[in-house]
Amino acid sequence: MDLTDKQQEVLMFIRKKVREGLPPTIREIAAEFSFSSTGTVRDYLKALFRKGYILLNEKKSRAIELTEKAMLTIPILGSVPAGVPVLAVENVEDYFNVDKLFSQKEELFFLRVRGDSMIGAGIMPDDLVLVKKQPCAQSEDIVVCRIDDEVTVKILRNREGRLFLEPANKNYSIIPLNENSQIVGKVITAIRRYV
Amino acid sequence: MDLTDKQQEVLMFIRKKVREGLPPTIREIAAEFSFSSTGTVRDYLKALFRKGYILLNEKKSRAIELTEKAMLTIPILGSVPAGVPVLAVENVEDYFNVDKLFSQKEELFFLRVRGDSMIGAGIMPDDLVLVKKQPCAQSEDIVVCRIDDEVTVKILRNREGRLFLEPANKNYSIIPLNENSQIVGKVITAIRRYV
DNA sequence: ATTCATACCACACATCTGTGTGGTATGTCA
DNA sequence: TGACATACCACACAGATGTGTGGTATGAAT
């Protein structure tokens, strides 16, 4: 039930166009592969739909939607037992869906972390944290907040009914959430890039 | 030369649709704002183009392109000075280029980190490290290696001409690089996902 | 031998879509 | 006062676009 080489090529073309921001029309796909009939393209689209790689929105132009299956994925290796090559299929624990993580349906931004106040949680200076903008969060969430006109990363914690912004470093102090300390968003991912 | 409230609304609608993968047609925009004429929408598109927020591709359906000014990519915020809104343009330090980081030209895989041997370098248990497969690396690189049929993350370090695999945790021992310990790849990124 | 998926083609057709050409009304700035 | 931007409307039209209905040929599976 996998894709043929040709179907793979067509899917790759669609993916490229979708990532560029404008899904192709049937005739643009036909032109790319020198098909002289729109019917040929429809055969491909139907095949890709049947195999679960795309969704088709009827009567709408350029309305080809990629499913998760068709998105860019990188394998995640879990435990690697003795004697087996590292990249063997058996080691694949899951797939990391890049498009899904960075899909911009929500208001996201990165914040470069200053200082070492979250070092106990493995968030180091100069790390990037991906932040979903939202005005509130739950206890134990890692949040980006503004405290007296300074933006920092902290842990939101409920202590006997009162909310506090706590660092993960004992050299810094715990601050109550009040009118001078406001939540900007929730940290959903931390990323550190090496050279 | 900034946008009016109405123009801002129209741009936000276009941005939302573009992010969802399908830019709107002129008539879809008209429907959203209950305009009874396509000409009205064109006035808005012309205004947005003139002010540098969108590009219009002639004769193509749905061909509205957002410029950088309309912020298509995810911004990286650096220092946020007092009194300025967090998401203000002045705070944008750079833009995060997803395609560059995850370009699949090289053989990449993620490894889920087991254990706390790299906790001193901010790599925690269950973190994902993005690994570029390669048989050798430079001193101080963080590498994935196979030691006696076990795969772990270590720091490669040159000590007086000899190479060692060192943990970032004093509870673990330093291991010389030899025929029983082999480099699998280099860690280029560490990612931690919160719920 | 028959069914099915693949891999193409030709052509017609309704409607979607961008574009063009007009119009009215309001407010701002010089 | 005149020029200009904003904020709408009406309607026509060519061409873009998805869809429908046919067709041929090849190869694998039953």
Side-chain angles (χ1 to χ4, degrees):
Chain A
M1 200 53 175
D2 221 32
L3 295 180
T4 64
D5 287 355
K6 270 277 180 180
Q7 288 171 354
Q8 186 77 22
E9 276 182 58
V10 173
L11 179 61
M12 283 307 136
F13 176 70
I14 294 170
R15 241 197 57 162
K16 183 181 152 216
K17 290 299 175 181
V18 168
R19 299 197 87 184
E20 286 172 11
L22 194 63
T25 65
I26 287 176
R27 282 170 181 83
E28 282 168 5
I29 299 171
E32 172 72 16
F33 295 97
S34 301
F35 296 145
S36 64
S37 171
T38 57
T40 302
V41 177
R42 269 218 323 204
D43 288 347
Y44 277 103
L45 296 185
K46 278 182 180 171
L48 290 174
F49 171 74
R50 194 161 31 77
K51 293 179 177 180
Y53 288 87
I54 62 172
L55 296 177
L56 296 169
N57 221 317
E58 279 185 10
K59 302 267 185 187
K60 275 188 180 175
S61 64
R62 304 182 186 273
I64 303 173
E65 230 177 298
L66 296 179
T67 64
E68 273 204 23
K69 205 173 172 183
M71 290 180 179
L72 173 61
T73 56
I74 296 173
I76 298 174
L77 306 184
S79 57
V80 180
V84 179
V86 175
L87 289 179
V89 186
E90 308 92 82
N91 300 333
V92 175
E93 173 192 295
D94 197 1
Y95 285 90
F96 187 87
N97 191 326
V98 177
D99 296 80
K100 199 176 168 189
L101 175 62
F102 296 102
S103 75
Q104 299 202 336
K105 283 175 187 171
E106 295 153 320
E107 194 157 16
L108 300 179
F109 63 92
F110 280 103
L111 181 71
R112 190 172 296 283
V113 175
R114 311 275 170 202
D116 56 359
S117 73
M118 288 296 287
I119 208 157
I123 298 177
M124 320 276 281
D126 279 331
D127 282 5
L128 292 177
V129 288
L130 181 62
V131 185
K132 186 167 99 183
K133 201 186 167 196
Q134 55 185 52
C136 51
Q138 295 186 318
S139 184
E140 304 303 322
D141 280 352
I142 295 177
V143 296
V144 169
C145 51
R146 162 162 251 157
I147 301 168
D148 294 329
D149 279 327
E150 195 183 322
V151 173
T152 53
V153 181
K154 292 277 188 295
I155 303 166
L156 182 69
R157 191 162 283 148
N158 188 327
R159 289 181 183 274
E160 295 159 11
R162 298 182 62 186
L163 291 170
F164 294 88
L165 297 165
E166 305 191 7
N169 185 334
K170 287 183 178 173
N171 298 328
Y172 295 81
S173 55
I174 296 174
I175 292 161
L177 189 66
N178 58 32
E179 62 278 357
N180 293 322
S181 54
Q182 170 198 4
I183 292 174
V184 173
K186 178 186 170 182
V187 171
I188 56 177
T189 300
I191 292 184
R192 187 178 313 123
R193 287 197 270 184
Y194 298 98
V195 189
Chain B
M1 199 56 177
D2 221 31
L3 296 181
T4 64
D5 288 356
K6 271 275 182 180
Q7 289 170 353
Q8 187 76 22
E9 276 183 58
V10 173
L11 179 61
M12 284 305 138
F13 176 70
I14 294 170
R15 246 188 61 167
K16 183 181 154 217
K17 290 298 176 181
V18 169
R19 285 181 168 184
E20 286 172 12
L22 194 64
T25 64
I26 286 177
R27 281 170 182 84
E28 281 167 5
I29 298 172
E32 172 72 16
F33 295 96
S34 301
F35 296 145
S36 65
S37 170
T38 56
T40 303
V41 177
R42 268 216 325 203
D43 287 348
Y44 278 102
L45 295 186
K46 277 181 181 173
L48 291 174
F49 170 74
R50 195 163 30 79
K51 294 181 177 180
Y53 288 86
I54 61 172
L55 296 178
L56 296 169
N57 220 319
E58 282 186 6
K59 303 266 185 187
K60 275 189 179 175
S61 65
R62 303 181 186 276
I64 304 173
E65 232 177 296
L66 297 177
T67 62
E68 267 209 18
K69 205 172 173 185
M71 281 210 268
L72 185 66
T73 49
I74 301 178
I76 299 174
L77 306 185
S79 56
V80 180
V84 178
V86 175
L87 288 180
V89 186
E90 308 91 81
N91 301 332
V92 174
E93 174 190 296
D94 198 0
Y95 288 89
F96 191 83
N97 190 331
V98 177
D99 295 278
K100 202 173 168 189
L101 178 59
F102 294 103
S103 75
Q104 290 200 317
K105 286 170 193 164
E106 296 152 320
E107 194 159 15
L108 299 180
F109 63 92
F110 279 104
L111 181 71
R112 190 171 294 284
V113 175
R114 311 275 171 203
D116 56 359
S117 73
M118 287 296 287
I119 208 159
I123 298 177
M124 321 276 282
D126 280 331
D127 280 6
L128 293 176
V129 287
L130 181 61
V131 185
K132 185 166 96 183
K133 202 185 167 198
Q134 56 185 50
C136 50
Q138 295 186 318
S139 183
E140 304 301 325
D141 280 352
I142 295 178
V143 297
V144 169
C145 52
R146 163 161 250 158
I147 301 168
D148 295 330
D149 279 327
E150 195 184 321
V151 173
T152 53
V153 182
K154 292 279 187 297
I155 304 166
L156 182 68
R157 192 161 283 149
N158 187 326
R159 287 180 183 275
E160 295 159 12
R162 298 180 63 186
L163 290 169
F164 294 88
L165 296 165
E166 305 191 6
N169 184 334
K170 288 184 177 173
N171 298 327
Y172 295 80
S173 55
I174 296 174
I175 291 161
L177 188 67
N178 58 33
E179 62 278 357
N180 294 323
S181 54
Q182 170 199 1
I183 292 174
V184 173
K186 178 186 169 183
V187 172
I188 57 176
T189 300
I191 292 183
R192 186 178 315 124
R193 286 198 273 182
Y194 300 97
V195 190

